[in-house]
Amino acid sequence: MATDTTPSFHRNSPEPPHQPQWLTPTEREVWLGMARLLATLPAALDAQLTRDAGLTFYEYTVLAMLSEQPDRTLRMSTLAEVTNASQSRLSNVVKRLEVRGLVQRRADPADGRCTQAVLCEAGWNTVVSAAPQHVAAVRELVIDAMDLEQLRQISAIHQRILARLDPRATTYPVYPGN
Amino acid sequence: MATDTTPSFHRNSPEPPHQPQWLTPTEREVWLGMARLLATLPAALDAQLTRDAGLTFYEYTVLAMLSEQPDRTLRMSTLAEVTNASQSRLSNVVKRLEVRGLVQRRADPADGRCTQAVLCEAGWNTVVSAAPQHVAAVRELVIDAMDLEQLRQISAIHQRILARLDPRATTYPVYPGN
DNA sequence: TAAGATTGAACAGTCAATCTTT
DNA sequence: AAAGATTGACTGTTCAATCTTA
């Protein structure tokens, strides 16, 4: 705050009303921590994957999701959902992955409106060789920061927040086969 | 997984070694939840702020951080730190905010290398009017998803992860006056 | 020589518009 | 008319290079 006549953002007022406009110190700490995480964790993952595998985190996610399918194939719209992206973003990314020979697109025989993305052999090899280092990074940065109890706690919290972000979504986890 | 001769990414192997290469089901759930949060929460905040105030989440953060300073002033390098951004990104954003008349830049009298960013009156009014709705959104989406115990738990977890992301950082919270 | 800051070029993401198939 | 997918235009971010002052 700049003067004492004006409220301090993200802090609680001296006399907290029922639905306080600002955040209490604890709430503020949670929010600043989350905001910082939102900004720095994706950058760290991108850095690791770019350095070690020439992939962005999002590109890796696309390849990984395809690699988990029995036929290494997924419709573009489904792939967009499971990778938490817009159809437009996915379309652009897959176009580049196709140029690099990691993925191929083909028309869906069952529905002419749909396009299937298929992981190529080169794409498979790319994920297979990138995965160990990436998983190790995820462990080091995130997973190993928690004990089993905390893993359960944060999972429950995630689900509650995600439900608020998209109330129409079925209960998380979204991904088939989890 | 595509065949039974190959590992499934982000899942645990049948016989987990000491430092397992893949993630257990619980770990995988945590990670997928966090990845989903990383992708969707910033988008939701951008949408709210763009709609209600014509600001991105990052622009709002810049204005909010300045508004909390007694003189509504911060060095560019400090502002970059507290907003979790690169100097380059901040420089571009402040340039646009300056064009819009929300922020002004001036040379730091104490050190000719530094630039100070100062919140203009219009910028102050913008944050003041944007803040209530934004804080309400943060509450609805994030804070109110947790009880007090969970707020404390996630705060502790955040700090542990952030410490791994930037081991050189002093113990979080970073921001002066918290 | 280093820190702070900015810039230009390359790149990625978003939004609205479009096209095709159902 | 609606769903799936893509594209073009615009905007924002990143990276390396640059400039200034300490």
Side-chain angles (χ1 to χ4, degrees), chain A residues 76-77 87-88 91 105 115:
Chain A
M76 290 291 284
S77 53
Q87 289 191 341
S88 176
S91 188
R105 279 181 290 189
T115 303

Side-chain angles (χ1 to χ4, degrees), chain B residues 15-35:
Chain B
E15 312 250 3
H18 246 304
Q19 282 292 98
Q21 192 174 17
W22 310 114
L23 302 181
T24 67
T26 299
E27 289 168 350
R28 177 181 159 87
E29 194 174 306
V30 167
W31 179 235
L32 289 180
M34 180 161 283

Side-chain angles (χ1 to χ4, degrees), chain B residues 108 110-115:
Chain B
D108 187 326
D111 188 335
R113 294 172 301 180
C114 301
T115 303

Side-chain angles (χ1 to χ4, degrees), chain A residues 3-172:
Chain A
T3 81
D4 61 353
T5 64
T6 46
S8 172
F9 300 124
H10 298 161
R11 296 184 196 171
N12 61 335
S13 43
E15 311 252 3
H18 246 305
Q19 282 291 99
Q21 192 174 19
W22 310 114
L23 302 180
T24 67
T26 299
E27 290 167 349
R28 176 180 160 89
E29 195 174 305
V30 167
W31 178 235
L32 289 179
M34 180 161 284
R36 194 169 177 82
L37 209 58
L38 255 29
T40 55
L41 183 50
L45 297 171
D46 275 329
Q48 179 270 316
L49 278 166
T50 302
R51 173 168 33 80
D52 297 338
L55 294 170
T56 65
F57 176 54
Y58 184 70
E59 288 168 339
Y60 173 86
T61 304
V62 168
L63 300 181
M65 288 299 173
L66 288 175
S67 77
E68 293 179 2
Q69 294 307 116
D71 53 1
R72 303 184 187 176
T73 298
L74 232 29
R75 285 189 180 167
M76 290 291 284
S77 53
T78 308
L79 189 50
E81 276 172 29
V82 299
T83 60
N84 310 306
S86 66
Q87 289 191 341
S88 176
R89 181 181 187 186
L90 176 66
S91 188
N92 285 318
V93 170
V94 167
K95 190 197 304 170
R96 286 173 231 138
L97 293 175
E98 196 167 29
V99 170
R100 293 166 68 175
L102 304 180
V103 163
Q104 203 173 349
R105 279 181 290 189
R106 71 158 83 108
D108 187 326
D111 187 334
R113 294 173 300 181
C114 300
T115 303
Q116 290 181 333
V118 189
L119 190 64
C120 301
E121 197 60 24
W124 172 265
N125 294 334
T126 298
V127 220
V128 166
S129 71
Q133 282 172 296
H134 178 61
V135 174
V138 170
R139 276 200 170 286
E140 278 180 38
L141 295 175
V142 178
I143 301 295
D144 290 350
M146 293 172 264
D147 59 29
L148 184 55
E149 181 56 22
Q150 288 176 316
L151 286 171
R152 295 204 181 99
Q153 288 164 354
I154 205 170
S155 183
I157 293 169
H158 282 162
Q159 297 194 34
R160 290 178 60 95
I161 297 175
L162 289 169
R164 285 158 183 261
L165 281 166
D166 184 4
R168 306 175 308 108
T170 45
T171 47
Y172 184 84

